[in-house]
Amino acid sequence: MGRPRTPLLDRERIGATALELIDEQGEFSVPQVARRLGVQTGSVYHHVDGRAGVVELVRERVSASIDTATLGLRPWDAALTAWARSYRAAFAAHPHAIPLLMTSPVRAPKVLRQYEQAVRLLLDTGFPMAEVMTVITALENLVLGSALDLAAPETMWELPPDSPGTENLARALAATGTGRADAAFELALDAFVNHCRVRLAPPAPHSGRPAHSGPAASADSRP
Amino acid sequence: MGRPRTPLLDRERIGATALELIDEQGEFSVPQVARRLGVQTGSVYHHVDGRAGVVELVRERVSASIDTATLGLRPWDAALTAWARSYRAAFAAHPHAIPLLMTSPVRAPKVLRQYEQAVRLLLDTGFPMAEVMTVITALENLVLGSALDLAAPETMWELPPDSPGTENLARALAATGTGRADAAFELALDAFVNHCRVRLAPPAPHSGRPAHSGPAASADSRP
């Protein structure tokens, strides 16, 4: 028997198979990946650093669809908005992977380099070093929450006919247009980016702006 | 043999068991629920309307921890903020249930009544009927994204030592305080509620405010 032309096992195929399993059943195990690839479980572990290593291959695969060129756009708010939309689209294609990837530490080099780009964008914009990861995390939470919502049915509330006590809900649902999930995402994104603009802007004198929405960046807060 | 004092099966115990399974393994099946309760699968179906019925029992159980009295607070922004915090805490206790509950239509009567309360709050505040569900959905997405994030490790980015090309990320991580997830949630919530305030406020004449952040509510937009 000749050697097969394509190797039975490589990191590419391990990541693809794990993501396939997650898409199908919401989870994966390394023995399942091995079974589907027709190899021993031990062979998989020759290529990756444990189960966590497989999770990082999945992360690289899902994140590969994020258009990182968006982070090079200017001004910064155009960059942040375009990155958020692309990020959401990439994860909405694999909603079952979201909880897994959100709760495992990020180690994939390509993904870490994407965070580096986002950090640089925010530092160049004037966000203080101590706030940068908070801003990125807050944006990710709304992006990933919205990506999960995009996997939900368009009709998300089903009222029994003539149910007493939900009349206003029924009217609000009837008045809502199509594209429920997209509209909610764009509203949240708009809110977030506007808030960042306010935090970066110098306070207008005597503007009566409440203290808690004052500027976050000051001249001496840059590293 | 006497009849057992507590009935072997009721909706309460079915919901509790399904949630237990979700907490443990991220998923549940009706046969698994039956097995754990020591009954036939068919017996479970006598008490609930299919698998979707069990999902609604899980939804009622998780949502029971949300303090709905928050929706009665005034002013409206205090109500929305307190509700969001309570909502996040309730779901953060069961992170594995989040994707399941976010992608199944809401039918549980108690939960529908909570939405009714939120809708009434927003209508009374002046949000137009056509926007109410979008506002609620956007808030839920950031709440549930943040609840998932609360289940993540405190150290969410692990940089290899001396990795080239991630220097700014390393500095930003070093400068970030503790309570990463809480800080990100509070930032996103603050952004969202501020945005709602701006949308509700009448436009200041000649304020130079960009058109896209203009008011959403006008006098004739109320039903």
Side-chain angles (χ1 to χ4, degrees), chain A residues 80 135 138-139 142 187-196, chain B residues 187-188 191:
Chain A
L80 215 57
V135 170
L139 182 61
L142 82 84
L187 172 62
L189 182 58
D190 208 24
F192 188 76
V193 175
N194 277 340
H195 193 65
C196 288
Chain B
L187 172 63

Side-chain angles (χ1 to χ4, degrees), chain A residues 2-220:
Chain A
R3 212 178 146 76
R5 272 198 224 148
T6 45
L8 274 175
L9 204 59
D10 58 35
R11 292 164 56 87
E12 187 80 12
R13 296 181 67 210
I14 293 170
T17 306
L19 182 53
E20 225 173 72
L21 286 162
I22 293 167
D23 286 344
E24 287 167 22
Q25 65 190 27
E27 258 300 335
F28 82 95
S29 71
V30 179
Q32 283 178 327
V33 171
R35 208 173 308 130
R36 192 165 282 200
L37 286 169
V39 301
Q40 299 291 319
T41 301
S43 311
V44 174
Y45 286 122
H46 283 139
H47 294 265
V48 294
D49 188 9
R51 180 186 150 88
V54 184
V55 172
E56 289 314 278
L57 294 179
V58 170
R59 191 189 305 278
E60 285 205 347
R61 227 177 156 80
V62 175
S63 302
S65 306
I66 303 176
D67 178 8
T68 53
T70 51
L71 285 167
L73 294 174
R74 292 297 175 270
W76 66 273
D77 46 357
L80 215 57
T81 304
W83 183 54
R85 289 194 184 119
S86 177
Y87 194 149
R88 173 174 174 255
F91 276 73
H94 303 285
H96 284 137
I98 294 174
L100 179 66
L101 297 180
M102 277 188 86
T103 53
S104 316
V106 183
R107 297 195 189 104
K110 272 187 206 163
V111 180
L112 290 173
R113 282 197 295 274
Q114 187 173 151
Y115 280 103
E116 170 77 10
Q117 259 190 284
V119 166
R120 264 211 315 262
L121 169 71
L122 294 180
L123 289 177
D124 289 348
T125 302
F127 284 90
M129 186 65 91
E131 279 193 13
V132 164
M133 294 316 294
T134 307
V135 170
I136 291 175
T137 305
L139 182 61
E140 284 187 301
N141 289 351
L142 82 84
V143 160
L144 295 173
S146 298
L148 265 176
D149 185 37
L150 198 54
E154 176 71 22
T155 302
M156 192 57 201
W157 294 271
E158 294 187 357
L159 303 187
D162 307 318
S163 64
T166 52
E167 291 80 4
N168 289 294
L169 175 57
R171 291 165 70 205
L173 286 171
T176 305
T178 52
R180 190 185 63 72
D182 287 338
F185 171 61
E186 291 296 331
L187 172 62
L189 182 58
D190 208 24
F192 188 76
V193 175
N194 277 340
H195 193 65
C196 288
R197 281 189 201 106
V198 172
R199 285 172 83 90
L200 284 171
H206 311 299
S207 68
R209 195 186 292 291
H212 66 271
S213 60
S218 62
D220 64 349

